[in-house]
Amino acid sequence: MFTAIRSAARARASLSAAARPCPSPFRLLPSHRTIVTTRYTKEHEALAFDHDTGEGVVSITEHAQESLGDVVFVELPVVGTKVAKGDQIGAVESVKAASDIYAPVSGEISQVNEDLNERPGLLNSSPEGDGWLCKIKLSDASEMDALLTAEGYKATCES
């Protein structure tokens, strides 16, 4: 039996890569790595910047959602709006307070998280994941350099 398996393995190994049958319904695709850098503002916004697309995902930080309490309403920006760094792009209302959201960088709003209209609690359960606010196509990627690193943001929160 083992001889038959070895023979089949040798025969398969001799096939060219193009003629080799796919052993499963999954195909191996060339991997594509994307560099994503996350930076923070002193106002508790986070920006996950994708270097390949030039687009950043804006969210609030874990610290911000803890300070806000249960989020009940989220005001999102309008897709296509051009914003400058520091412009108000939305607001978050919770049972404790309301807080404005500011653009961490300049660019154009390319997408908003419509799920937040129906499920604003996503900001509490996954603020930097499923609870993202919007995506911005950066007009000047060098603005990322002025934002805080994770270590810098942590130091700001502790002071």
Side-chain angles (χ1 to χ4, degrees):
M1 180 168 148
F2 292 112
T3 306
I5 293 172
R6 275 192 222 112
S7 297
R10 284 189 194 117
R12 182 180 171 141
S14 67
L15 290 174
S16 71
R20 190 174 298 156
C22 190
S24 73
F26 303 103
R27 293 186 308 167
L28 297 176
L29 300 174
S31 66
H32 177 72
R33 293 184 182 201
T34 298
I35 297 173
V36 176
T37 303
T38 302
R39 295 292 171 95
Y40 304 88
T41 68
K42 291 179 182 177
E43 293 79 24
H44 309 290
E45 288 97 13
L47 180 77
F49 178 67
D50 184 326
H51 293 264
D52 285 349
T53 64
E55 194 170 59
V57 178
V58 178
S59 59
I60 64 170
T61 64
E62 183 71 31
H63 178 80
Q65 76 83 19
E66 287 172 0
S67 298
L68 283 169
D70 293 335
V71 175
V72 294
F73 176 76
V74 179
E75 179 186 330
L76 297 169
V78 176
V79 173
T81 303
K82 294 189 186 304
V83 296
K85 181 177 180 174
D87 286 354
Q88 181 182 349
I89 58 172
V92 176
E93 292 182 21
S94 71
V95 294
K96 290 183 182 179
S99 182
D100 292 332
I101 305 296
Y102 300 98
V105 291
S106 302
E108 183 176 336
I109 305 294
S110 59
Q111 188 177 350
V112 296
N113 187 354
E114 298 288 347
D115 289 343
L116 293 175
N117 291 327
E118 298 296 321
R119 299 172 39 210
L122 284 173
L123 281 178
N124 294 114
S125 62
S126 182
E128 293 184 50
D130 293 338
W132 61 276
L133 298 164
C134 66
K135 294 183 180 181
I136 297 178
K137 182 76 171 172
L138 277 67
S139 56
D140 182 4
S142 69
E143 287 183 351
M144 289 287 296
D145 298 336
L147 299 176
L148 299 170
T149 62
E151 295 82 19
Y153 178 69
K154 182 178 178 185
T156 298
C157 291
E158 291 173 353
S159 62

